[in-house]
Amino acid sequence: MAEAPRRAAPVVEVRGLVNRFGAQCVHDGLDLDVFPGEILGVVGESGAGKSVLMRSIIGLQRPTAGTIRVFGEEVSPATPARTLALSRRWGVLFQQGALFSGLTVAENVQVPLREHLDLSPALMDEIVAYKIAMLGLPPEAAAKYPAELSGGMRKRAGLARALALDPELLFLDEPTAGLDPIGAAAFDALIRTLRDTMDLTVFLITHDLDTLHAICDRVAVIAERRILATGTIDQLAQLPDPWIRDYFGGPRGRAAARVAAPA
Amino acid sequence: MAGVEDTAGPTRFVPGAELTITQAAEFERQLAAAPPGPLVIDLSGVRTIDTVGAWLVHRTLRDRPGSAVMGLGEDARRLVAAVAEADRPCALKAPAMPLWRAELEKIGRAVLAAVTSLGDGLAFMGTTLVAMARAAVSARGIRWPSVSRQLEVTGIDALGIVGLMSFLIGIVVAQQGAVQLEQFGAQIFTINLVGRATFRELGILLTAIMVAGRSASAFAAQIGTMKINEEIDAMRTLGLDPVEVLVVPRVLALVIILPLLGFYASLLAVVGGGLLSWAYLDIPPASFVQRLREVVPMSDFWIGMAKAPFFGAVIALVGCFQGMQVEGNAQSVGERTTTAVVQSIFLVIVLDAFFAVFFTAIGFV
């Protein structure tokens, strides 16, 4: 196991997580820490339980056993009021963006502001305007409906909504899936810039090796129903596990490493 | 705590220790309450700041020329710079047009939509008939497994609710008839009322309305969701005709099931009426049936049965047509589903009126 770069108290602390659906066991005694200010990439085979892990952490999924602490407080669907209060401190970008299709982009971003805070309409409009600009969306996108946007713009709009309340922690589920390489690279750069400006901690599920090399500080590998290993990509690539070797040492992994190396 | 210190020169403004989104409303109020003119914002006491706090600082610097900020920490400097860069004009709403023009446009759109949807609907009916004919003569034939599945969902699964409804309607009709006819000592004619009204009109019409509510909505929602998921496009690329695969079985199923459901509904309405007559008018079941056979002509039954397949076809066509019209988002599915139910019920009633006139005109009464 690689040493975590910081010894600060973890933002997310998962201990002994068990998730079982009928006879199928997705997680069995999974432990994971996410430290403040880092971008943690989570990788694993399709169906290994990456999304289930994320859903468990954000309280959408009741684990069979185990504890999950975020910002030092326990998250559990059993205490909806506390989880709701806690959820204002994190933002989530779902795989398809999950924008409300009946609202414009601006209205989508305003939803959390309207629901949780008592801000003047003028200030809310200004917040939306600068958030949209910060996320690199063109000004005319604000009045459009999600169906009128391209895939990349929809992801950016989803991220704008996730960041509406200025969260400290950001969950991203395959943010670059379905984007063209240029759009994906721009999105990676955006995530990194936002992390640096807004001092975010990022939990990032991805299959995109370029994303892993470009922006992740640490990578956690889910396999065999638990976290098999965590560490930097270089540390992971040294491990003898065949799946990890194939993942980072396969043709795509090597190509991504070559691209990342000169940078 | 925040406060305004009025010394010589520009006003000094000291916000609280937390300059974040949760304090933003308060901070904005305090800034608005500060005397006009340049401000000096002292951030040296600020422990946490986020983009919203930074935005308010930036906005003050922008809107009050001559203002300055002091005591910026590293975080605050970075965030203020970031929001200043993102301060670009941004139209949040589509440009609004005058009310009279908007209303006029709405009316125009509605008229246009009514005309085009009439045309499209007729075209859809034609397409379906052609697809049905083509399927019937093709090697593969009509998709009977699909038809049978739809028969189950639209027919068998509806038996409970349709039966209960008809039974209760039978009771209501008989009870109302009995009360009124009793005044003339003609309570025996309750049987005529129940028998003729249910077999000729009510049994079929109410069944059609119930099926329109259950199945037209289901068809529109199913096909609409498939359309959004691009399943319809996927079918086309695989060489499948969505009309043949989705629409034809549904239309056939309702054409087959509606007469059967209507007959079943009429029977239960008669049972309801018969039970009420027995309890309320002391007409024993045997006499009720005897009298029913005397007063209800076979033509009533045939008229009801003749109408039912047409009702079924209209309901299925409207439901599937509206499903195919879904575009874009989840809201559209909802709107089209509503339209499917409203239109199919409306068309069933129009068709029923048409049949009433038609059968009278040809002397089939």
Side-chain angles (χ1 to χ4, degrees):
Chain A
M1 285 287 269
E3 272 302 293
R6 297 162 199 80
R7 290 285 75 187
V11 177
V12 178
E13 196 180 356
V14 181
R15 289 289 173 270
L17 180 70
V18 179
N19 268 309
R20 208 172 277 132
F21 300 100
Q24 192 197 0
C25 187
V26 179
H27 301 131
D28 188 9
L30 183 147
D31 296 337
L32 179 70
D33 287 321
V34 185
F35 293 99
E38 75 172 344
I39 299 181
L40 175 77
V42 176
V43 302
E45 279 178 83
S46 301
K50 303 183 292 294
S51 294
V52 175
L53 173 61
M54 184 178 109
R55 290 174 60 85
S56 305
I57 297 174
I58 59 184
L60 292 177
Q61 163 88 42
R62 185 192 290 261
T64 315
T67 57
I68 294 164
R69 289 171 176 280
V70 181
F71 305 118
E73 275 197 65
E74 193 164 341
V75 179
S76 146
T79 54
R82 270 181 48 210
T83 306
L84 189 71
L86 213 53
S87 73
R88 287 173 49 176
R89 295 174 63 188
W90 68 59
V92 183
L93 173 63
F94 290 97
Q95 220 175 93
Q96 308 296 335
L99 290 165
F100 302 125
S101 55
L103 302 179
T104 63
V105 170
E107 287 164 345
N108 260 290
V109 180
Q110 278 187 349
V111 166
L113 299 175
R114 264 182 221 287
E115 284 304 310
H116 294 304
L117 299 163
D118 178 30
L119 298 176
S120 66
L123 181 59
M124 279 199 287
D125 285 351
E126 288 170 5
I127 292 176
V128 171
Y130 84 72
K131 289 256 152 94
I132 283 172
M134 270 175 104
L135 283 148
L137 282 165
E140 62 272 14
K144 286 190 176 159
Y145 286 90
E148 300 169 304
L149 300 179
S150 69
M153 284 185 11
R154 223 173 293 164
K155 294 248 162 130
R156 282 173 191 259
L159 192 52
R161 188 180 67 186
L163 292 174
L165 291 173
D166 269 74
E168 298 150 63
L169 173 60
L170 187 58
F171 293 92
L172 306 172
D173 193 352
E174 303 211 18
T176 53
L179 299 187
D180 64 272
I182 299 172
F187 205 87
D188 287 346
L190 173 69
I191 293 170
R192 189 191 225 150
T193 313
L194 288 172
R195 191 269 304 259
D196 293 342
T197 33
M198 295 175 74
D199 211 6
L200 292 165
T201 306
V202 182
F203 176 98
L204 170 80
I205 295 176
T206 190
H207 272 304
D208 190 331
L209 286 153
D210 294 315
T211 304
L212 288 175
H213 280 284
I215 61 171
C216 289
D217 300 312
R218 277 195 317 143
V219 174
V221 181
I222 298 194
E224 295 155 28
R225 300 185 288 283
R226 59 196 175 84
I227 299 287
L228 203 60
T230 54
T232 63
I233 293 176
D234 291 338
Q235 289 168 335
L236 291 180
Q238 307 297 322
L239 294 175
D241 183 87
W243 191 86
I244 296 177
R245 276 189 168 242
D246 283 352
Y247 195 90
F248 293 107
R252 282 160 180 274
R254 285 200 307 274
R258 271 201 303 278
V259 173
Chain B
M1 266 324 287
V4 176
E5 287 171 32
D6 208 353
T7 53
T11 319
R12 225 165 82 88
F13 186 88
V14 188
E18 291 222 338
L19 205 48
T20 59
I21 192 163
T22 43
Q23 312 298 322
E26 179 63 23
F27 185 42
E28 192 193 20
R29 265 193 293 280
Q30 286 164 356
L31 279 172
L39 285 181
V40 172
I41 304 174
D42 184 355
L43 295 184
S44 50
V46 171
R47 274 188 289 112
T48 49
I49 182 166
D50 66 5
T51 63
V52 179
W55 172 261
L56 286 167
V57 171
H58 163 73
R59 190 173 80 172
T60 312
L61 296 181
R62 186 190 67 188
D63 295 347
R64 294 175 183 248
S67 292
V69 60
M70 53 181 280
L72 277 167
E74 191 198 328
D75 284 351
R77 194 185 305 280
R78 193 182 64 228
L79 285 172
V80 172
V83 294
E85 198 188 329
D87 183 7
R88 283 193 269 132
C90 178
L92 295 185
K93 290 185 183 67
M97 59 173 72
L99 191 64
W100 64 269
R101 248 190 85 187
E103 288 302 317
L104 210 59
E105 198 180 302
K106 218 192 299 180
I107 296 172
R109 272 181 208 284
V111 171
L112 216 59
V115 173
T116 50
S117 97
L118 185 70
D120 291 352
L122 283 175
F124 184 74
M125 192 166 98
T127 314
T128 309
L129 286 175
V130 170
M132 205 182 285
R134 213 172 30 217
V137 297
S138 72
R140 198 180 188 296
I142 302 270
R143 290 160 199 271
W144 292 113
S146 243
V147 176
S148 122
R149 166 97 191 105
Q150 291 299 329
L151 284 175
E152 185 190 343
V153 176
T154 59
I156 312 293
D157 294 353
L159 283 178
I161 186 66
V162 169
L164 179 64
M165 176 193 70
S166 315
F167 180 76
L168 295 175
I169 291 289
I171 289 179
V172 171
V173 169
Q175 200 266 337
Q176 289 300 317
V179 169
Q180 296 300 321
L181 293 168
E182 215 171 17
Q183 297 172 16
F184 312 103
Q187 51 277 58
I188 194 71
F189 286 102
T190 304
I191 301 170
N192 300 41
L193 180 67
V194 172
R196 296 208 64 176
T198 49
F199 275 106
R200 201 184 167 102
E201 287 292 337
L202 286 183
I204 304 296
L205 189 62
L206 290 173
T207 306
I209 290 174
M210 184 59 85
V211 170
R214 277 185 91 247
S215 302
S217 54
F219 293 172
Q222 286 162 357
I223 295 178
T225 312
M226 291 178 77
K227 186 120 192 272
I228 288 187
N229 285 339
E230 298 182 319
E231 288 173 53
I232 306 278
D233 294 339
M235 277 185 188
R236 287 211 174 91
T237 59
L238 292 172
L240 296 167
D241 177 8
V243 174
E244 191 202 317
V245 177
L246 297 174
V247 182
V248 171
R250 285 176 167 78
V251 172
L252 279 178
L254 282 200
V255 166
I256 295 168
I257 206 69
L258 213 70
L260 301 176
L261 266 184
F263 178 63
Y264 158 80
S266 304
L267 280 188
L268 276 175
V270 167
V271 169
L275 284 178
L276 189 109
S277 304
W278 191 12
Y280 192 80
L281 301 172
D282 287 329
I283 302 172
S287 317
F288 184 88
V289 173
Q290 175 69 31
R291 171 102 187 144
L292 199 67
R293 294 177 60 164
E294 285 165 16
V295 300
V296 180
M298 209 49 198
S299 63
D300 276 5
F301 168 78
W302 287 120
I303 286 174
M305 288 300 113
K307 292 191 286 190
F310 291 95
F311 291 175
V314 162
I315 294 167
L317 281 171
V318 169
C320 296
F321 173 66
Q322 292 296 339
M324 288 288 189
Q325 298 293 305
V326 165
E327 241 149 50
N329 54 29
Q331 201 178 341
S332 167
V333 178
E335 283 166 7
R336 291 294 176 179
T337 308
T338 311
T339 314
V341 175
V342 173
Q343 269 188 8
S344 54
I345 291 178
F346 175 72
L347 285 177
V348 160
I349 291 173
V350 169
L351 210 57
D352 193 50
F354 167 78
F355 273 121
V357 175
F358 174 73
F359 284 125
T360 313
I362 64 167
F364 193 56
V365 283

